[in-house]
Amino acid sequence: KFMKDLLLDMLQNDKDQAARKVLCDFIGDLAATIQCLTGERKEKCNEEGYSWPKLMTFLWGLLTSADSGLIESSLRIMSVLFVHCGRQYGSYKDELAPILHQTMTHAVPSVNVAAMECLTCYLENVEFKNCKAFLELMPVMLEQTLVVANQNEDLVSFFLS
C-alpha cells in the first residue's frame, strides 16, 4: 500500500514531463499486473496486494485538475490499463465517453492527443458492445486530429502512420 500511495504522490508532485511519462507507464503497468493476477499468485497475496481500489478514483480526480499535465497523466495511465486489461473496464463506458469528449477538445494539444490515444486503447481492447457508446466521438476525434496536426504534426504521428 505504501508503494502505491508513494507512486501516486510522486505523480502529483513531479513537474518534469519526461519523469511523469515514465511514472505513468510504470503505474499503468503495475496496476495492470496487479489486476491481472490469477490463481496461485493471487492466493499468495493479501487483498491489498492484488487490488488497487484507490487508483480509478485518483485518476478520475486528476481529470478535473487545473494542471493539464495531471489530466494528461491520468489519460496515459488509463491507456496502459486498457491495453493490458481493457475488458475489465467495459463498465466504465458511461463515465469515460463524456470525459474523453471533454479532454479531446481541451485547450492543450498534448491533452487532446492523450485523450485520443486513450480512446483508441479502450476501443481496441473492450468487447464490441462497449464501443457503441463512443460512436459520437469519432467525428470529434477526426476533427481534433486535424486541429492538432496543424499545430504540431509530430503529436499525432502515431495516428497517421
Side-chain angles (χ1 to χ4, degrees), residues 25-133:
D25 291 341
F26 183 77
I27 291 168
D29 286 337
L30 178 62
T33 301
I34 289 168
Q35 290 175 7
C36 293
L37 284 176
T38 57
E40 188 179 318
R41 287 184 175 167
K42 193 172 185 176
E43 290 171 9
K44 289 182 179 180
C45 296
N46 61 19
E47 184 176 349
E48 208 170 271
Y50 66 83
S51 66
W52 198 342
K54 291 168 58 174
L55 182 63
M56 286 310 288
T57 303
F58 176 80
L59 295 177
W60 293 133
L62 291 183
L63 291 169
T64 61
S65 172
D67 181 342
S68 62
L70 291 176
I71 297 169
E72 184 179 345
S73 294
S74 177
L75 294 165
R76 284 185 182 280
I77 293 168
M78 284 193 274
S79 295
V80 174
L81 287 171
F82 297 156
V83 166
H84 294 295
C85 41
R87 292 190 183 266
Q88 293 181 23
Y89 291 94
S91 63
Y92 285 90
K93 65 183 179 291
D94 294 332
E95 296 97 337
L96 196 56
I99 287 168
L100 289 176
H101 184 274
Q102 179 183 355
T103 53
M104 264 192 249
T105 56
H106 195 275
V108 177
S110 62
V111 172
N112 304 145
V113 172
M116 291 185 276
E117 193 170 2
C118 187
L119 176 59
T120 302
C121 292
Y122 183 85
L123 294 176
E124 287 176 346
N125 294 289
V126 297
E127 294 179 41
F128 180 73
K129 66 181 181 182
N130 293 317
C131 295
K132 294 177 184 177

